[in-house]
Amino acid sequence: MTERIQNFLASRRHDGPCLVVDLDVVRENYNAFAKALPDTRVFYAVKANPEPKVLKLLADLGSCFDTASVVEIKLALEAGATADRISFGNTIKKERDIATARALGVDLYAVDCKEEVEKIARVAPGARVFARILCDGSGAEWPLSRKFGCVPEMAIDVLEHAHRLGLVAHGVSFHVGSQQRDPAMWDGALASAAMIFHTLADRGIQLAMVNLGGGFPTRYLKEIPGVESYGSAIFNALRKHFGNQLPETIIEPGRGMVGNAGIIRSEVVLISKKSDAEDDARWVYLDIGKFGGLAETMDEAIRYPIKTARDGSAMVPCVLAGPTCDSADVLYEKDPYFLPVSLEIGDLVLIEATGAYTTTYSAVAFNGFPPLETIVI
Amino acid sequence: MTERIQNFLASRRHDGPCLVVDLDVVRENYNAFAKALPDTRVFYAVKANPEPKVLKLLADLGSCFDTASVVEIKLALEAGATADRISFGNTIKKERDIATARALGVDLYAVDCKEEVEKIARVAPGARVFARILCDGSGAEWPLSRKFGCVPEMAIDVLEHAHRLGLVAHGVSFHVGSQQRDPAMWDGALASAAMIFHTLADRGIQLAMVNLGGGFPTRYLKEIPGVESYGSAIFNALRKHFGNQLPETIIEPGRGMVGNAGIIRSEVVLISKKSDAEDDARWVYLDIGKFGGLAETMDEAIRYPIKTARDGSAMVPCVLAGPTCDSADVLYEKDPYFLPVSLEIGDLVLIEATGAYTTTYSAVAFNGFPPLETIVI
């Protein structure tokens, strides 16, 4: 909780949940990444929080942008980034969206199969592509599926195919899993990346870039290593696998850039029990839930710190749920959340570290509740 | 697929996913409910699909409305329903929202604890309340948690508390679980409801109404019993537990009213594999996913029928995923979906039975993708 957010909230009447984002924290985070990885360019993952003021600040600081769609590309351009600072990082793109991106000047595209390479070759001839490889995602708190990327052996073929079709086989990318708490996880992926560099070099194709992806955590309830730990672990892994021929590198922080910059204020709508049994769980219902911005509580994956004005009194285990008429709109139940026994209906609570992956996930009008409001200060 | 939807889609250029809802099907469904349960009033669950044209049709047909929020109450009023045809069915309500509902004329409220009763007594004195009891939800395809309702013994106290505070203890409600495929599930809940009626009658409080809830299924891939099976099972259970003193009854169909009235058209964005291994899964990526309206594929709960122009050619198991840069945006993977081997990038597919619980769930702007567009015809 920053003093600026505290002052802002003190002067604001509560009328539904809101997210407040402190730009000073975003600036600090950007500078921390720049310092920890001085030779690496930062591509902010716009999807984490696409608020125009956040993008403008980062554009002014010199950040580049990792985008998932044409809309995000346009947001980055409007924020002041030039097209050469934008990557179209989604491996799943419609051909007409690639054409639009190209018309907007974007020259850097993610791929994970030959089919995607062929789309790019047709509508963005000569563009640079990087191939995403699969990672196993151990150590990450947000589940990483096999949705993006291919095995390293296939990435070699994909990049060679791109080269033959007149594209620039530019590099390799991977993602170690979001909210990755183990800096050592970059090592294995960099070993695969180096293998791809060497194999393609033997075939006369010189790759230039390794996209180290995102995954940098924000602090929820558990302690996390500092950005500098990630910086040194990554640098050492690069040295180990690439020797003194270090590739150009980029990172794509999203959660690590804005997660701790935002706080959601929410209201306790109801506190009740399901029976009079002594050991029956206490249910606490907030005015925000899984469909109002806290989608990452899915399967109780992300566990947000929650602060109340009554912290310090005895804490009791609670099932925490959202306000909608959907039985799946429960935040924490398998692993109950401890909240003050003195908590009352109408109390305001602060849900910390909610600057990333909240607002844009929120449902457009589920149960008639409006989407999460954001205020950037 | 109705002829009207087919004709409409034939004349429409595809530029992103869209839901088309056929009002003729909604009308048929309403009439089927009215016929199968002739002595039961229908309260359409607005949250299933709050499109104004759907609400207007139902209001004209004489339907009442089950609402989850003040916004939904206003939508029902705007559609032409009078306030006496509206139930505020969410058990989790802010006191100021109850006050607003009351000011709008709403007189029927759901409760599942004394705390909620007290809010209503303060701002809507004299209103009618019904207590929701817990059901176990077996046989339902969409998970039913313990989020709503209390044990029957507690419901007795809740209703007695309401009576003492000057409210009208009006009845009992329950929900047997959404997409409930077993008509016999109403029997157990009605036994509990009858017990509550009898116990309170002994204390001098006459309840009047049983809210049979929703849960009526729509046809996805598996066959479902017809509405008349539900009607007769419910009627028999009412007779069994209430004898010849049948209570007033209401139902709250949502999915059963609009589910099969809508079809989403989507485009295949990419088809690829993760490796060259013969047995490696084929991945099919659509331009709609878990955050674009298909939230009910969460944990692969709801399995939609998907039709393509190539049906009839050999079918192969596919992992089906959405278009966003979120590794959790995978629709069917544990239980792969069979699609034609001849399916190609750019093909259009029809996702059937998507009239309920799709549009309003869709994320406001996740990854820059717009919310699902709806067209009511």
Side-chain angles (χ1 to χ4, degrees), chain A residues 119 269 285 326 361 367, chain B residues 69 119 147 269 285 326 361:
Chain A
K119 292 180 197 168
V269 183
Y285 301 88
D326 191 314
Y361 265 119
N367 276 217
Chain B
S69 64
K119 291 180 197 170
K147 181 174 178 187
V269 183
Y285 302 88
D326 191 314
Y361 264 121

Side-chain angles (χ1 to χ4, degrees), chain A residues 291 326 363-366, chain B residues 18-21 46-51 220 255 258-259 261-264 288-297 302 304 351-363 371-374:
Chain A
F291 303 107
D326 191 314
V364 66
F366 192 56
Chain B
C18 63
L19 168 69
V20 186
V21 176
V46 175
K47 60 182 177 288
N49 190 325
E51 279 293 319
Y220 295 113
R255 193 187 303 279
V258 293
I263 283 183
I264 288 172
I288 187 170
K290 206 177 257 178
F291 304 106
L294 303 180
E296 290 203 323
T297 58
I302 298 290
Y304 296 105
I351 311 175
E352 296 187 339
T354 42
Y357 300 116
T358 50
T359 32
T360 53
Y361 264 121
S362 93
L372 181 60
E373 186 189 357
T374 308

Side-chain angles (χ1 to χ4, degrees), chain B residues 173-324:
Chain B
S173 81
F174 53 81
H175 197 295
V176 295
S178 197
Q179 186 68 9
Q180 175 55 261
R181 298 175 63 236
D182 182 1
M185 283 305 295
W186 273 262
D187 184 75
L190 281 169
S192 299
M195 183 277 287
I196 297 169
F197 267 63
H198 299 143
T199 307
L200 283 170
D202 290 345
R203 300 188 195 173
I205 300 169
Q206 307 299 332
L207 300 182
M209 183 269 284
V210 175
N211 177 345
L212 302 158
F216 306 97
T218 199
R219 194 177 179 283
Y220 295 113
L221 281 171
K222 298 177 199 156
E223 283 297 333
I224 53 163
V227 172
E228 58 291 347
S229 311
Y230 290 85
S232 60
I234 288 170
F235 182 76
N236 292 337
L238 278 166
R239 276 277 180 223
K240 175 173 156 194
H241 300 294
F242 286 89
N244 52 11
Q245 290 201 295
L246 291 190
E248 172 194 337
T249 50
I250 70 174
I251 51 170
E252 299 173 334
R255 193 187 303 279
M257 187 74 86
V258 293
N260 68 338
I263 283 183
I264 288 172
R265 185 166 70 179
S266 171
E267 178 179 342
V268 176
V269 183
L270 184 63
I271 302 174
S272 65
K273 292 185 73 174
K274 301 295 169 185
S275 79
D276 287 322
E278 196 59 46
D279 59 347
D280 201 33
R282 185 180 168 101
W283 283 69
V284 174
Y285 302 88
L286 301 178
D287 65 357
I288 187 170
K290 206 177 257 178
F291 304 106
L294 303 180
E296 290 203 323
T297 58
M298 191 157 67
D299 298 326
E300 310 194 11
I302 298 290
R303 206 163 169 89
Y304 296 105
I306 300 176
K307 299 289 162 62
T308 82
R310 301 180 198 273
D311 294 349
S313 79
M315 304 294 263
V316 287
C318 301
V319 179
L320 200 65
T324 68

Side-chain angles (χ1 to χ4, degrees), chain A residues 246-275:
Chain A
L246 290 190
E248 175 194 334
T249 50
I250 70 175
I251 52 171
E252 298 173 335
R255 192 186 304 278
M257 187 75 85
V258 294
N260 68 337
I263 282 182
I264 288 172
R265 185 166 70 178
S266 171
E267 179 179 342
V268 176
V269 183
L270 185 63
I271 302 175
S272 64
K273 291 184 75 174
K274 301 294 168 187
S275 80

Side-chain angles (χ1 to χ4, degrees), chain A residues 303-326:
Chain A
R303 205 163 169 87
Y304 295 105
I306 299 175
K307 298 288 162 61
T308 82
R310 303 182 197 271
D311 294 348
S313 79
M315 304 292 264
V316 288
C318 301
V319 178
L320 199 65
T324 67
C325 282
D326 191 314

